[in-house]
């Protein structure tokens, strides 16, 4: 980065909030995925939306590319920046501006940590539903960028279903508002377009979210199975019975073993091939009725034991292992490559067999933890990236797992985004014309592609969309 | 200028309005004073106040110095910029935003040409009083920067008396409003501080001026004298009689000769040593009474002939030679160095003798045209700057004239400002502590002295003001 750019950034945010020494930059070299690493040119940490605007405008004028970053818990390398790129960390924009219990809306800055939002709403009997496993650290701004999911998104929808309005700094530094308190007033769903755009369309500086009432009653059940197939079939059967649980999570034997060997031990049966967590919520009577049906289905499908909890303390204990699964896996090896793909629910048993084959072939440790209810897999490979041979095998295994999921009729990401990790896979599922259309949309927001450059849309694989379009006209 | 700055400026104003090729820059190498010349690094020509703000903010962030420029008719080199400096030309900000006949105010952008403002106000029976000789070309923004005068400022005051409010882009790109429709509401006179600050305190992007009623009656008289002393004494006698003419202008023989030899010939007597123009305005009866008194004084003091005009056409003819005097002098030689100094009215005859001595010593052509009523001299040297020896003599003569005016109890500028032309003279009339205080005020607006750097306050001659102050405390 040249000195005058540093000086200019210093003037906008104060030199304390501009990081450029290698020792400072290292903090920002990775997100939650250890298979990608890149040192940004400089990190700037604005305090206010006005500073964000000014930084983005300056970078636009000087044609310096930028990447926005929240807490850096992402899992697709989306918040990594190259040495010629400015990383804009939004963690200081951490104010909850208002919580409206009547309209059930909260207005907040992008750097607010996900869990803190629900804490703020709790005294009003409300909560913010999307609950990524990283919710104690990840920011709502990052959730917006990635359209983050979480266990409770099966019933209530992912981030996009909970965002009603955004104030956005476009890549040229201009400011626009998308949506309204009541959602999109008319015309195309620009909020929906922005949520999940992975930092390509600009930076949200103010986010208006929908809050939900905390359900009257919650029942959590834990069932263990001697086969993954049995557990998978139980998942399908529950959905087929017309029940939509608030959450429907599965962990395989390796995952349970990791959890039970850690300080997060939740009393899960370590000899089970798979453990299912089913959570039902709603009116007390309805929950009781659904719980009886679910218990019946689980037993029918071969559950060895079904434990049930409805007190908050008991529920927390059953959930603890699932919520801390990624942390527990961290004990096994220095690094953990968390993968993210989706398959049709019916393909779950087969895909688990495929993953096991790939694991054996490359002699790796893979634990599976996933949102079974919507077929969203998270195969997690524990390894040591300092061993280049192992790292190469991990990369290969990731690729093969992804190929297997696509072959099973699935897709390359359920909730973690494409980032740079899955750039190569995009052409497996989209043709050149579709990718060209994506790029054209990107360029509508950012003609010079300076916002999160090189991510999400593999430029080399795009057909030039305007040409395609003009040929057809 | 580096390429990325050019690109950034292009993005703000459009590449058509960024001039950087030598052939383009030459236009901006001088103002109205041919003794100074400097090519700016780049010229940027914004269209809107928002663009001005953004350009200034960018330059502040990158710590690139800038100079604001109106029509470039200034006469002290104030609007010249060095190759490391960006020149911001404001000629496209040329909108009159409102004219209010009840409050007698107009709101306008800085690039509005002075004469056009009075034209716009004319149908409402109003006019904008300050009327520099360059009023057909100069801009009100430039008038504000230089606190410009003009013939009619004797009675009605100079620019600062006609500006009630300003929207100003400070040198760091922030925007502030000074004054109000009613003038300064309370506290220090910041409008007064800004007017005449010669571009050191920022750029006015919106100017609210006072308009005056066009007087009911106007009488213009032309008197010719066989001696400059006689004409000078008549000037003092008119003021001493308690009459404040709207204008009281003197031209010497050389000036009259130049006018009468040009297409602007006004029928002035070419054998006179001095010609006086006296204009009276106000209520018809009062004007008639004053005119009789003035005529009497002029005759008493030796006027050979007194011509009088009250019809607009006759008045225009009497004024024509004075208004076009600078243009007429342009016929005599390729270049004209217009000087500007003030002396006490009583010193006028002696200073004219001094100027004549200096003229002879250096063998130059000097014509004098000046606002005699307030002792504001304009000795004008016609020369050819392509002859280095002549140019050197012109510089020396200018310096000697200025020294004579200061010795006579005068000052180094009446209405053209200090710019870079008179930088050296500042320490003749201000001590190091006063200059240091001026610099401290400058730094209150512009801590890094990036706005019109190197002008007005000779930095080397300043005592560091904060040190002086702290030693006293």
């Amino acid at each position: 980065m040249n000195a005058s750019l540093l000086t200019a950034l210093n003037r906008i945010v104060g030199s304390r909030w501009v990081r450029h020494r290698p020792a400072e930059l290292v903090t920002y070299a990775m997100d939650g995925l250890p298979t990608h690493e890149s040192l940004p040119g400089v990190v700037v940490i604005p305090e206010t939306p006005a500073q964000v605007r000014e930084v983005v405008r300056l970078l636009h004028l000087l044609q310096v590319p930028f990447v926005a970053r929240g807490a850096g818990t992402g899992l697709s390398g989306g918040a990594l920046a190259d040495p010629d790129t400015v990383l804009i960390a939004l963690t200081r924009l951490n104010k909850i501006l208002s919580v409206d219990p009547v309209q059930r809306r909260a207005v907040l800055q992008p750097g607010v940590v996900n869990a803190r939002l629900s804490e703020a709403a709790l005294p009003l009997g409300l909560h913010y539903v999307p609950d990524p496993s990283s919710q104690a650290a990840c920011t709502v701004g990052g959730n917006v960028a990635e359209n983050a999911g979480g266990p409770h998104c099966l019933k209530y929808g992912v981030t996009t279903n909970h965002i009603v309005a955004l104030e956005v700094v476009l890549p040229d530094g201009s400011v626009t508002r998308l949506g309204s308190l009541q959602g999109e007033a008319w015309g195309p769903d620009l909020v929906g377009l922005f949520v999940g755009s992975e930092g390509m369309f600009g930076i949200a500086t103010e986010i208006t979210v929908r809050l939900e009432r905390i359900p009257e009653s919650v029942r959590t059940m834990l069932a263990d199975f001697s086969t993954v197939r049995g557990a998978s079939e139980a998942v399908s059967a529950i959905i087929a019975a017309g029940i939509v649980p608030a959450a429907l999570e599965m962990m395989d034997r390796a995952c349970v073993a990791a959890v039970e060997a850690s300080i997060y031990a939740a009393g899960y049966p370590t000899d089970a091939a798979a453990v299912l967590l089913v959570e039902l919520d709603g009116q007390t009577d309805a929950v009781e009725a659904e719980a009886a049906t679910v218990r019946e289905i689980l037993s029918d499908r071969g559950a060895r034991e079904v434990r049930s909890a409805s007190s908050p303390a008991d529920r927390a204990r059953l959930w603890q292992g699932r919520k801390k699964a990624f942390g527990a896996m961290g004990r096994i090896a220095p690094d953990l490559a968390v993968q993210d793909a989706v398959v049709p629910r019916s393909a779950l048993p087969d895909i688990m067999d495929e993953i096991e084959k790939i694991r054996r072939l490359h002699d790796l440790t893979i634990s599976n933890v996933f949102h079974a209810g919507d077929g969203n897999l998270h195969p997690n490979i524990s390894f040591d990236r300092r061993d280049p041979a192992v790292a190469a095998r991990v990369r290969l295994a990731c690729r093969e797992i992804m190929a297997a999921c696509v072959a099973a009729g699935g897709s390359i990401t359920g909730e973690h985004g494409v980032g740079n990790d899955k750039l190569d896979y995009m052409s497996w599922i989209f043709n050149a014309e579709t990718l060209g259309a994506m790029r054209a949309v990107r360029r509508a927001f950012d003609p010079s592609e300076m916002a999160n450059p090189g991510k999400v849309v593999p430029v080399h694989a795009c057909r030039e969309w305007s040409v395609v379009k003009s040929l057809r006209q």
Side-chain angles (χ1 to χ4, degrees), chain A residues 5-360:
Chain A
L5 176 60
L6 283 181
T7 308
L9 293 172
N10 284 346
R11 280 175 188 274
I12 298 172
V13 302
S15 58
R16 184 180 166 197
W17 303 107
V18 178
R19 311 281 158 84
H20 58 93
R21 295 187 200 90
E24 297 171 325
L25 297 178
V26 156
T27 311
Y28 303 92
M30 283 199 285
D31 61 6
L33 190 69
T35 49
H36 298 272
E37 200 167 354
S38 177
L39 280 191
V42 59
V43 178
V44 57
I45 313 172
E47 188 187 9
T48 63
Q51 289 182 352
V52 175
R53 278 196 286 279
E54 187 155 34
V55 167
V56 172
R57 182 66 179 162
L58 175 73
L59 299 178
H60 168 73
L61 291 175
L62 300 176
Q63 287 287 282
V64 176
F66 68 91
V67 174
R69 184 178 172 108
T73 57
L75 289 162
S76 57
L80 266 51
D82 290 338
D84 67 349
T85 300
V86 172
L87 190 70
I88 304 175
L90 297 159
T91 41
R92 292 175 74 209
L93 280 88
N94 58 4
K95 291 182 188 58
I96 296 173
L97 303 171
S98 69
V99 178
D100 178 345
V102 178
Q103 299 243 27
R104 293 187 211 152
R105 299 285 185 266
V107 181
L108 54 141
Q109 293 183 329
V112 170
V113 168
N114 176 298
R116 207 162 73 74
L117 176 56
S118 282
E119 278 163 27
L122 182 63
L124 303 167
L126 300 171
H127 67 153
Y128 176 67
V129 170
D131 56 344
S133 294
S134 57
Q135 70 179 136
C138 68
T139 64
V140 178
N143 297 167
V144 166
E146 302 299 314
N147 189 17
H152 287 84
C153 293
L154 173 61
K155 180 172 180 178
Y156 292 99
V158 292
T159 299
T160 193
N161 302 110
H162 300 269
I163 306 298
V164 296
L166 294 166
E167 181 191 80
V168 172
V169 177
L170 296 173
D172 70 355
S174 60
V175 177
T176 190
R177 290 195 71 89
L178 310 177
S180 71
L181 272 185
Q182 277 65 46
E184 207 66 53
W186 53 270
D189 178 14
L190 294 172
V191 172
L193 189 61
F194 190 91
V195 176
S197 59
E198 302 196 24
M200 296 187 300
F201 296 172
I203 298 179
T205 47
E206 197 183 285
I207 302 167
T208 305
V209 304
R210 200 189 299 281
L211 299 173
E212 299 288 344
R213 276 214 185 110
I214 293 172
E216 181 186 296
S217 186
V218 182
R219 172 69 64 95
T220 306
M221 287 180 275
L222 184 92
D224 67 279
F225 291 83
S226 50
T227 65
V228 170
R229 188 166 295 269
S232 300
E233 286 171 359
V235 167
S236 290
I238 291 167
I239 303 289
I243 295 170
V244 182
L248 186 40
E249 302 284 305
M250 198 192 296
M251 287 167 281
D252 73 356
R253 190 193 308 265
C255 178
V256 168
V259 167
E260 291 302 316
S262 79
I263 56 164
Y264 308 120
Y268 295 163
T270 52
D271 62 339
V275 164
L276 268 192
L277 258 174
V278 188
E279 187 156 283
L280 302 164
D281 68 8
Q283 285 189 293
T284 308
D285 292 349
V287 168
E288 289 310 313
E290 285 183 348
T293 307
V294 167
R295 178 178 284 272
E296 200 172 313
I297 293 171
L298 292 170
S299 301
D300 280 356
R301 298 293 165 165
R304 301 189 310 182
E305 190 192 350
V306 180
R307 284 147 68 184
S308 182
S310 53
S311 83
D314 285 352
R315 282 182 54 220
R317 189 168 148 77
L318 290 187
W319 269 108
Q320 176 172 289
R322 169 62 186 86
K323 293 262 182 182
K324 300 296 188 183
F326 294 102
M329 291 172 203
R331 280 187 75 248
I332 300 176
D335 297 297
L336 183 70
V338 178
Q339 280 300 300
D340 169 46
V342 277
V343 292
R345 259 191 312 271
S346 58
L348 275 179
D350 290 343
I351 204 73
M352 295 300 286
D353 290 346
E354 285 296 318
I355 292 171
E356 175 58 16
K357 273 187 215 158
I358 293 166
R359 186 194 71 72
R360 275 194 212 143

Side-chain angles (χ1 to χ4, degrees), chain A residues 367-385:
Chain A
S367 328
N368 285 283
V369 50
F370 48 95
H371 311 308
D374 47 18
N376 186 187
L377 293 163
H378 293 315
N380 305 305
I381 312 181
S382 300
F383 71 111
D384 185 341
R385 73 193 157 96

